[in-house]
Amino acid sequence: MKKKVILTGDRPTGHLHLGHYVGSLANRLALQSDEAYDPFIIIADVQAFTDYYQHPEIVRQNVFEVTKDYLAVGIDPDRTTIFVQSLIPQIAELTVYFMNFVNLARLLRNPTVKAEIKSKQMGHDVKVGFATYPISQAADILFIAGEVVPVGEDQRPMIEQAREIARSFNQTYELVFPEPEGLYAEVSRLPGIYGNEKMSKSLGNAIYLSDNINELREKVMGMYTDPSHIDYRRPGKIEGNVVFTYLDAFDPDKVGLVELKESYQQGGVKDVLVKERLFEVLERFIGPIRYRRSELSKNPELIEKVLREGTQKTLGRAEQIMKKVRSAMKIHYF
Ligand code: TRP
């Protein structure tokens, strides 16, 4: 049976954090060991440029850092093909063709893009490259005929846009593309360490997979709990208490966690005790990742090899699909 193509990826603008882990890395790990799938990961440097075009050195460095994060959490390059977006010219080509299928007003209604324009305070200086990145992301998915796209909830509008483009293209010319389906994570939105907002590099509220033990301890000890829990002997609240949200996501001892929650709600449990538990849970999770990461840092040739071979394999696949695209568009002249 033909394997289903999975396509997902990240912008290389910083190290990956726990939000990336629960939002998509965990899903990718589960899917790569399933024989029914053929997974690809795009390191979206071109998309990173829509935001970081003035900082090419940051994008470049993070292509390697993100690859280390992948390998350190257990993405296996023998099963999952990792490639670099800018090295696949077919994606740029497809983006241009796709632009004909997207209504401008529809494009600008994208809630994720709107939220980014606001949070990055772009005001009236929204660049065309930025506003149109959902089209380029549709090309990221469709150039390889991606069928399943494991992502966080914030990427839903991008998947929707990609589906619309695939449908319009297929209707206008001939059936070339599958309509990709988003696969949304169970715990898709991990809040940052100060609660409320999602975990994100730009908000400075992230715990990174590469944080050292002191950074981790400091961040956990500085986390928000229940702001009205001033006297530890009084009952504390679980809802909206970020420390418990993280324990829910990472503590393997579910029974112990239920007991702790009960005691906390009854009163008599100090916040620092709950934080100590979280610190230990997270260190047990991040410690081995940090170690593998530091080993990988000693071997830059290996990182380059993974990217070179992944990109090479992807180029071959891209050309097969682009042949169909060009023939459907009748631009296969000679
Ligand atoms: N937009 C995604 C993010 O910010 C990254 C990304 C780029 C992506 N191209 C993709 C995700 C294709 C899934 C599929 O996280």
Side-chain angles (χ1 to χ4, degrees), residues 114-128:
K114 275 176 143 171
E116 275 174 287
I117 288 173
K118 209 165 161 199
S119 76
K120 291 172 186 164
Q121 303 183 350
M122 293 184 185
H124 291 290
D125 191 23
V126 180
K127 299 288 197 276
V128 173

Side-chain angles (χ1 to χ4, degrees), residues 229-268:
H229 193 225
I230 298 160
D231 180 350
Y232 79 92
R233 287 163 302 190
R234 312 283 310 161
K237 273 207 229 56
I238 304 287
E239 309 81 56
N241 187 326
V242 211
V243 181
F244 281 104
T245 311
Y246 281 46
L247 283 170
D248 279 335
F250 290 98
D251 194 339
D253 175 13
K254 299 297 174 213
V255 177
L257 183 55
V258 168
E259 282 167 14
L260 179 67
K261 282 182 181 174
E262 276 167 11
S263 326
Y264 189 81
Q265 282 169 312
Q266 275 160 14

Side-chain angles (χ1 to χ4, degrees), residues 15-29:
H15 290 204
L16 299 183
H17 52 58
L18 293 180
H20 291 114
Y21 188 85
V22 300
S24 67
L25 290 172
N27 252 340
R28 295 180 200 175
L29 287 171

Side-chain angles (χ1 to χ4, degrees), residues 7-10 28 39-43 70 75 80-83:
L7 184 289
T8 178
D10 299 283
R28 295 180 200 175
F40 287 77
I41 297 182
I42 181 169
I43 303 188
Y70 292 155
I75 298 288
T80 300
T81 308
I82 306 172
F83 67 95

Side-chain angles (χ1 to χ4, degrees), residues 7-11 42 44 47 133 137 140-141 149 151 155:
L7 184 289
T8 178
D10 299 283
R11 290 183 196 178
I42 181 169
Q47 189 174 114
Y133 90 73
Q137 186 161 334
D140 293 346
I141 298 168
V149 190
V151 278
Q155 296 296 304

Side-chain angles (χ1 to χ4, degrees), residues 207-218:
I207 294 178
Y208 293 93
L209 296 169
S210 48
D211 274 349
N212 68 39
I213 195 160
N214 295 328
E215 288 166 329
L216 180 62
R217 176 179 281 282
E218 219 169 277

Side-chain angles (χ1 to χ4, degrees), residues 98 101-110 131-138 141-142 155-168 180:
F98 282 174
F101 291 96
V102 182
N103 174 285
L104 188 56
R106 156 71 182 91
L107 177 74
L108 300 176
R109 270 200 303 274
N110 185 311
T132 54
Y133 90 73
I135 307 179
S136 150
Q137 186 161 334
I141 298 168
L142 295 172
Q155 296 296 304
R156 199 180 277 275
M158 310 301 164
I159 310 297
E160 205 36 61
Q161 180 74 81
R163 290 172 63 87
E164 286 173 28
I165 291 173
R167 215 175 298 142
S168 306

